[in-house]
Amino acid sequence: ELDDLRLFHRATTPSLSSSHLSSSSSPKIAFLFLTNSDLHFLPLWNRFFRTAKTSRYNIYVHADPTVNITRPTKSVFDERFIPNAKRTFRASATLISATRRLLATAILDDPANAYFAVLSQYCIPLHSFNYIYRSLFTAKTFDLTSNSSDLTQYGVRVKYKSFIEIISKEPRLWKRYVARGRFVMMPEVPFEDFRVGSQFFVLTRKHALLVVKDRTLWRKFKLPCYRASECYPEEHYFPTLLSMQDPDAVTRYTLTRVNWTGTVAGHPHMYKPKEVSAKLIYELRKSNYSSSYLFARKFSPDCLKPLMGIADSVILRD
């Protein structure tokens, strides 16, 4: 873990710990991809970024180094794979570590990175880049849970929030809490502060720094579980940390749509090619908390062809 600690220390030095509203005239979105396979929807993401100004985004990929993953060339993803990636396993603290490495790398790389969106190889965009950029930075009515103090002035939102799902009441929450032992999480994380949420979120720079700086909660969440079937630390660490540290600066909902109908072994529904249609995209966009979901998962790799068939006419059309 020493490599990570050195990286996190560099990312949180005072000179880089400024607010996410940097002096840059164009704040950026850092797209952080977690993958242990090829980037299945690379052509779709290439088309997504094709209309974006390079001054408005950065891309970072954490790829499991034990897997033979194709490194794309002549693409917006060329040379965007971070060098300090390590092996990852589902339902383990390794996914927390990988996300923290991505956040730290993006913080160090560019002070203009203002929002940090965590995605996987099974994620797709539901809108054009310009729509997503406007939604995060300038749209006055995107966040349906906001109040007048969150509105924009001079084209910039006055009060930024992180879009992260935080759930306090869930049927299996207690079993997940005691997965490492009944009293192991105490006193740092009492059960009443334990939360659950999607591991795919969009954080402000302030919260990205908060995650990278944390040592206290990490010492608890990295401990091994004796109940593997109840151990999903990547779904608990981030919502618990932000709920405890800065509860008023989070929306408590995610911008990545997931279909949990017919869950199998803890996995969400996997969309197949025959399900891909304009109707599906429009349905996935619907949200009770914001004007729209911005991303969606989980799509099987063979969905690429039908997705590309509706990319320009539906997905990326404002």
Side-chain angles (χ1 to χ4, degrees):
E1 199 176 12
L2 289 177
D3 288 344
D4 286 345
L5 289 174
R6 281 192 285 266
L7 172 65
F8 300 160
H9 177 72
R10 288 171 53 218
T12 55
T13 53
S15 61
L16 292 171
S17 298
S18 59
S19 165
H20 77 284
L21 284 176
S22 69
S23 59
S24 170
S25 59
S26 181
K28 299 180 181 181
I29 304 173
F31 291 82
L32 315 179
F33 287 85
L34 277 169
T35 186
N36 59 0
S37 70
D38 285 347
L39 295 170
H40 307 304
F41 303 115
L42 183 67
L44 177 60
W45 284 107
N46 277 333
R47 191 167 295 186
F48 169 82
F49 287 112
R50 183 178 63 187
T51 58
K53 295 179 180 179
T54 56
S55 61
R56 290 188 168 184
Y57 74 89
N58 282 305
I59 300 170
Y60 308 89
V61 183
H62 184 289
D64 189 325
T66 67
V67 180
N68 186 19
I69 295 176
T70 303
R71 302 293 179 99
T73 57
K74 298 180 180 179
S75 158
V76 292
F77 286 82
D78 188 20
E79 298 184 357
R80 301 317 301 164
F81 286 64
I82 67 173
N84 53 344
K86 295 181 176 64
R87 193 174 187 182
T88 56
F89 300 91
R90 178 177 176 263
S92 77
T94 60
L95 290 173
I96 300 175
S97 295
T99 304
R100 295 176 84 203
R101 282 183 213 112
L102 281 167
L103 291 169
T105 302
I107 289 169
L108 277 168
D109 181 61
D110 194 336
N113 285 332
Y115 267 118
F116 301 73
V118 180
L119 303 160
S120 81
Q121 72 270 41
Y122 299 108
C123 288
I124 67 164
L126 291 176
H127 289 280
S128 69
F129 175 89
N130 290 330
Y131 180 97
I132 291 176
Y133 191 89
R134 289 196 304 269
S135 297
L136 292 177
F137 288 111
T138 63
K140 295 181 179 180
T141 58
F142 176 71
D143 178 11
L144 302 181
T145 68
S146 66
N147 54 46
S148 58
S149 64
D150 300 324
L151 298 180
T152 59
Q153 290 181 1
Y154 310 113
V156 178
R157 184 172 289 123
V158 175
K159 186 178 180 181
Y160 284 83
K161 288 186 176 182
S162 288
F163 296 88
I164 179 171
E165 186 177 50
I166 300 177
I167 301 172
S168 59
K169 294 181 180 179
E170 199 272 337
R172 305 187 72 87
L173 202 61
W174 173 252
K175 289 186 176 180
R176 291 190 177 200
Y177 179 74
V178 298
R180 299 166 185 82
R182 188 177 180 89
F183 303 108
V184 169
M185 302 298 284
M186 291 292 289
E188 291 84 354
V189 188
F191 177 65
E192 55 267 27
D193 290 335
F194 192 62
R195 300 289 185 266
V196 66
S198 171
Q199 69 181 102
F200 300 100
F201 43 72
V202 181
L203 298 187
T204 61
R205 188 176 183 90
K206 173 186 175 183
H207 286 159
L209 282 162
L210 189 154
V211 168
V212 174
K213 287 179 180 178
D214 173 59
R215 302 289 182 270
T216 304
L217 265 65
W218 168 242
R219 281 194 287 269
K220 294 293 184 177
F221 280 92
K222 73 176 182 179
L223 296 173
C225 300
Y226 70 87
R227 286 183 184 173
S229 61
E230 303 290 350
C231 193
Y232 297 92
E234 72 278 14
E235 295 180 0
H236 295 278
Y237 172 75
F238 300 101
T240 299
L241 176 65
L242 292 179
S243 179
M244 291 177 70
Q245 296 289 329
D246 199 8
D248 295 330
V250 293
T251 63
R252 299 182 178 271
Y253 65 84
T254 180
L255 297 178
T256 300
R257 180 72 178 268
V258 182
N259 182 359
W260 287 103
T261 305
T263 301
V264 178
H267 291 282
H269 175 75
M270 174 81 80
Y271 292 103
K272 301 298 183 181
K274 64 180 181 180
E275 298 176 85
V276 175
S277 66
K279 183 179 179 180
L280 174 65
I281 300 301
Y282 297 144
E283 187 64 30
L284 291 175
R285 288 174 175 174
K286 294 179 182 178
S287 171
N288 294 326
Y289 308 103
S290 64
S291 297
S292 176
Y293 280 100
L294 301 183
F295 311 101
R297 62 183 292 267
K298 189 175 187 181
F299 287 80
S300 64
D302 51 353
C303 285
L304 177 61
K305 185 175 180 180
L307 285 170
M308 292 299 289
I310 60 172
D312 292 330
S313 60
V314 178
I315 299 174
L316 305 179
R317 185 177 182 181
D318 289 338

